[in-house]
Amino acid sequence: GNSVTQMEGPVTLSEEAFLTINCTYTATGYPSLFWYVQYPGEGLQLLLKATKADDKGSNKGFEATYRKETTSFHLEKGSVQVSDSAVYFCALRADSWGKLQFGAGTQVVVTP
Amino acid sequence: DSGVTQTPKHLITATGQRVTLRCSPRSGDLSVYWYQQSLDQGLQFLIQYYNGEERAKGNILERFSAQQFPDLHSELNLSSLELGDSALYFCASSVGGGQATYEQYFGPGTRLTVT
């Protein structure tokens, strides 16, 4: 079946550091890939998405590229801020009716 | 604010009881999805409705049921509650259900605590 694996947290960084969160997937066909962010006490917000191989999603300084050859969708940000502290979820959507399959989530803590 | 509303925000109840969680999708969205977020299982898809009809089912227990009403709001009913049902329950909505690229917008969730 389909699955999403992402690196375990927590990831602790200093402000302005470079962030990478690894995400790999297993799926048949050509899934769409997503990164969602969950701030403390809130619901999930879509951060970025990519719907086909080699697509790059980007938003708020975050980027991720859909790599079919390595079945990966790693999230990166060049310079994190304290406000980026949150839990980040990688997800895939493999069927047309749209249910999302999530990774375990990675907590990111950014310190001043 | 995603435009998806969920009530109640918090719910504390005892084992064996039954509760109903409510979700109102964004204006114009026809699809509603329910997800459960727990410490041991992570975020799991439960069930999806599209324009009043059930479209997809995930890891939803038989004790759980859902429906979508003509005004498109949805309710998730959880019965014979067990301690392990304690979790955050999210509702999400999207414009349609027939295209994998439709974005899902999540509500703030209902935190259920079973004591």
Side-chain angles (χ1 to χ4, degrees):
Chain A
N2 300 330
S3 66
V4 178
T5 303
Q6 59 182 106
M7 62 190 282
E8 286 189 28
V11 173
T12 304
L13 302 161
S14 299
E15 210 165 19
E16 298 183 4
F18 185 86
L19 170 68
T20 300
I21 304 176
N22 291 338
C23 171
T24 57
Y25 69 90
T26 302
T28 53
Y30 302 93
S32 294
L33 301 173
F34 304 82
W35 277 101
Y36 280 83
V37 59
Q38 185 178 28
Y39 298 103
E42 298 185 15
L44 282 80
Q45 298 175 28
L46 179 65
L47 184 57
L48 51 83
K49 68 179 181 183
T51 59
K52 60 183 188 296
D54 300 325
D55 265 3
K56 178 188 273 189
S58 60
N59 186 25
K60 299 181 182 178
F62 291 89
E63 291 184 342
T65 301
Y66 188 146
R67 301 279 188 209
K68 191 158 176 62
E69 63 277 13
T70 54
T71 61
S72 65
F73 192 55
H74 305 321
L75 182 69
E76 296 181 338
K77 186 175 185 183
S79 176
V80 292
Q81 305 300 312
V82 173
S83 58
D84 293 323
S85 297
V87 180
Y88 293 81
F89 291 91
C90 184
L92 69 80
R93 191 162 62 198
D95 69 73
S96 63
W97 284 103
K99 65 179 185 287
L100 290 165
Q101 197 150 354
F102 288 91
T106 302
Q107 184 179 13
V108 172
V109 177
V110 181
T111 58
Chain B
D1 185 350
S2 66
V4 178
T5 60
Q6 289 187 248
T7 55
K9 200 163 184 170
H10 301 279
L11 202 45
I12 301 173
T13 190
T15 53
Q17 294 299 304
R18 173 189 169 94
V19 296
T20 297
L21 314 184
R22 183 188 168 104
C23 168
S24 293
R26 291 188 324 150
S27 176
D29 284 359
L30 298 178
S31 261
V32 169
Y33 307 77
W34 286 97
Y35 294 88
Q36 179 195 57
Q37 185 178 32
S38 63
L39 282 174
D40 53 346
Q41 303 278 357
L43 254 171
Q44 289 198 94
F45 167 73
L46 295 178
I47 197 164
Q48 179 203 0
Y49 279 80
Y50 174 74
N51 204 21
E53 291 190 12
E54 181 185 306
R55 281 295 177 177
K57 225 168 181 176
N59 298 324
I60 188 165
L61 300 170
E62 284 192 15
R63 301 183 284 108
F64 296 2
S65 65
Q67 53 184 327
Q68 186 179 28
F69 294 86
D71 67 352
L72 300 177
H73 91 271
S74 177
E75 293 181 357
L76 179 67
N77 300 294
L78 316 176
S79 62
S80 303
L81 285 167
E82 302 175 359
L83 295 178
D85 298 327
S86 296
L88 199 47
Y89 291 85
F90 286 110
C91 166
S93 73
S94 70
V95 169
Q99 288 287 336
T101 54
Y102 290 147
E103 181 174 338
Q104 290 183 28
Y105 294 86
F106 280 75
T110 293
R111 182 169 294 282
L112 173 67
T113 302
V114 182
T115 62

